[in-house]
Amino acid sequence: MTFSVLIFTYLYLRSPSLSNLMQISCVCRYPLGMSGGQIEDKDISASSQWSESTAARYGRLDFEDGDGAWCPDMSVEPESTKEFLQIDLRSLHFITLVGTQGRHAGGFGKEFAQMYQIKYSRNGRRWVSWRNRHGRQVIEGNKNAYDTVLKDLEPPIIARFVRFMPITDHSMNVCMRVELYGCEWLDGLVSYSAPIGQLMVHRGQHIYLNDSVYDGEVGYSSGMTEGLGQLTDGVCGLDDFTHSHVYNVWPGYDYVGWTNESFPGNYVEILFEFDRIRNFTTMKVHCNNMFPKKVKTFRQATCFFRSSSDWEPTPVTFSPVMDDVNPSARFVTVALNNRMASSIKCQYFFADAWMMFSEITFQSAKYLLRFSPGDDPTHKVDDSNTRILIGCLVAIIFILVAIIVIILWRQVWQKMLEKASRRMLDDELTASLSIQSETFTYNNNNQSSAGSEQESNSTYERIFPLGPDYQEPSRLIRKLPEFSLSMEEAGTSGVSKPVQAGPQEGVPHYAEADIVNLQGVTGSNTYSVPAITMDLLSGKDLAVEEFPRKQLTFKEKLGEGQFGEVHLCEAEGMQEFMDKDFSFDVSNNQPVLVAVKMLREDANKNARTDFLKEIKIMSRLKDPNIVRLLGVCVCSDPLCMITEYMENGDLNQFLSRHEPEGQIALACNAPTVSYSNLHHMATQIASGMKYLSSLNFVHRDLATRNCLVGKDYTIKIADFGMSRNLYSGDYYRIQGRAVLPIRWMAWESILLGKFTTASDVWAFGVTLWETFTLCKEQPYSQLSDEQVIENTGEFFRDQQRQIYLPQPACCPDPIYKLMLSCWQRNTNERPSFQEIHQTLLGCLV
Ligand SMILES: *[C@@H]1O[C@H](CO)[C@@H](O)[C@H](O)[C@H]1NC(C)=O
Ligand SMILES: *[C@@H]1O[C@H](CO)[C@@H](O)[C@H](O)[C@H]1NC(C)=O
Ligand SMILES: *[C@@H]1O[C@H](CO)[C@@H](O)[C@H](O)[C@H]1NC(C)=O
């Protein structure tokens, strides 16, 4: 278990290597400067303009200057999509989102583009039409002159120049205001050239391993040249290459793959061209390793370097350790030994009949630091580091809010806003999400500047913000009248007034942590730890002992994450190993079952440090209702932590197998559970949470799936959920990437990214509800994920339109009342775990 959201966040930001593992191109979404002004007028041009007052420079989202937008001169060129608005970003950017608006002009304008296309270019010469993953070029634009419509670019674009090309049917004029969202492309990779990916026929199934989004030239003899595509689109393939993250595509979509039959030299050669000469530290190749299907990572990579006209004679050769045990896809890291080059040519040797890659990223050392004479270089480093850190934190917080707001925006409030008068938009509401400095005070000083030397460490880390002043989320929020009210006032009046919304109570924001947790770095996770507590807890030496590894016998895999796995094992001699005061949940002479969380041997240093920290934190948690850390194996690799496991598995599965006492159970001879058993279990969960909250731990994912059941209905709170496929339906994927247990989350966690003990209380209410429905249905099972999020908006607005979970059949009134109190809108009106525990003890009928 990870108790260390913040540490993870922190390490993740500090140690780029961790971030590799996260698919967070959804984090790279900053406005690139049309509305903020960073893009200068001279860099905005157009094919034509209708008048001087509708020139290209007026095409800035949310600006009302000139006549309020860019409008082309459509009378000249009747052909559609000949007109364009062009933006020069001055350097390569990774662009993930675009926003468009029509001409509003204070209510006088009514022109907008219902549809448009996008073209882009990296060098200003070769232009490519953007297509989505299904090959469609046309993007749906605006429906009125004032709303901003945001569209995800899937796949994202890597470009310096972007053109918006409105499509019209000539029944109306079009005008556009636009914004691009993304971040700088720090890998510096301009193109790769590779042989065409091939077709695999496996048991009659056709698996297309072509590069589905390659934007360069494709010729049958020349292969793919001059483009970028799947290997840089920020999406890592799944373990099973026949499946994909992407909806409704052909098998093999995520990978580019080749068979050894077509390569007599037994290797595939890929040429990488960069924007300038760089000092390369590493290359990371995300490979499939499904060896039962004859797919393996490469056996050897030999890379040649070129910084002028000739290839240097000495290559760098690297042979990874082959893994015949674990069929998971993984990043293989090749050290490039600080070679300087502007082109790299690598030969990847087959280890089996097939080789499949889904991402390749390059990391290069930063150019010599630029500091003026007299500056203290170390200061400079720290400074930039802090800025990056702060930037990232701000960004992640904003992004989560933004994503959610966008969802809400699209689905709930769009209609409402259309009706709402434009007056609202004109009101200068000055609400902005102020991010308070507490959020950034978790820097732990002895973790120095690992992140600063490297310019970019992965695809997902292109994610450096352009500055701390991006304002998109608040701008969106500004348009929603509710958000302009402070939390207490919202919903009580329909009149907007300028008040600051956002984190004001000094409660730290943990939104950023989501993204860190989501991939379950070492298998599972999620208690978040305020830094203070963390220091308190980890100040002392490790309070847990080394357990002899050979006494562990593997039984079953419980889950897995990017860096490790969780196994169910039998531990021989565990009873003797533990203190006398610790009693196991087994009869004597029975083997003790334990959950063993293992760090993969190839995990990097930061993952290891992290893992050790986690051990430290966990070793301090001692409560009868919290799963205990029993022992560790840290003397040799792989690092393991051994925690309790209980014979009845998790509470969700346990309750699903049972029926309430009564007629039905008798009739079908099912195992039963009585009301008092349920009550007893709920009380224990409350007790465990009381303990966690007394230490200021925030669990963040309390649910029945994360509680273990032992003998006599004993309960211990654990956390395995995220990594188990069994429960994937309980988590909601945002943009296909971030996953959140939205049905258990408090409204403020979803909307504002706030995770506190009070939001744990909310989740406790849902857990209580699950318990009393015997987990026979998912919370809000009749609502789709989107509707759950809409409902969250209703909780926020508090106009009595929110839907509460219903009272379960066998749930007495006082217990249901307790649930409802957990779902109070205002966090300070929710009971504390102390109170909940008392109430539960008191209402035993
Ligand atoms: C890749 O293969 C699929 C399936 O045959 C095909 O639809 C798609 O057009 C191909 N893409 C490219 C870029 O060749
Ligand atoms: C490349 O970067 C490394 C580490 O930053 C540095 O030690 C080395 O001198 C650099 N190489 C060149 C040729 O600049
Ligand atoms: C391709 O790889 C398979 C499995 O390693 C091997 O049996 C076969 O001989 C190889 N084919 C060629 C042409 O090298």
Side-chain angles (χ1 to χ4, degrees), residues 479-525:
K479 295 198 177 151
L480 307 174
E482 290 88 341
F483 268 98
S484 64
L485 302 171
S486 73
M487 304 223 304
E488 282 66 40
E489 288 165 307
T492 58
S493 90
V495 186
S496 330
K497 54 176 173 163
V499 187
Q500 288 225 322
Q504 287 187 322
E505 299 132 75
V507 186
H509 246 242
Y510 294 136
E512 66 277 22
D514 284 275
I515 299 179
V516 176
N517 273 311
L518 300 172
Q519 302 289 320
V521 174
T522 41
S524 57
N525 51 31

Side-chain angles (χ1 to χ4, degrees), residues 16 105 132 227 276 340 358 378 441 453 492 559 601 604 666 689 760:
N132 73 8
R276 56 175 162 82
M340 303 291 291
S358 74
T378 52
T441 53
E453 291 109 35
T492 58
E601 294 185 43
N604 61 29
L666 278 176
M689 290 307 296
D760 274 356

Side-chain angles (χ1 to χ4, degrees), residues 196 199 208-214 218 220 224 250-251:
I196 295 178
L199 172 70
Y208 300 92
L209 298 163
N210 58 2
D211 193 328
S212 358
V213 297
Y214 194 71
V218 183
Y220 275 91
M224 305 187 283
W250 54 84

Side-chain angles (χ1 to χ4, degrees), residues 32 39 43 87-91 93 95 159-162 180:
L32 296 180
I39 297 173
D43 293 329
I87 299 158
D88 178 358
L89 294 166
R90 293 274 148 195
S91 61
H93 279 74
I95 303 162
R160 172 178 161 179
F161 302 93
V162 178
L180 298 168

Side-chain angles (χ1 to χ4, degrees), residues 278-281 337-340 364-366 368 453-454:
R278 288 170 176 260
N279 177 342
F280 287 96
T281 51
N337 304 346
N338 286 109
R339 295 281 293 264
M340 303 291 291
S364 48
K366 203 173 195 153
L368 284 178
E453 291 109 35
Q454 299 201 317

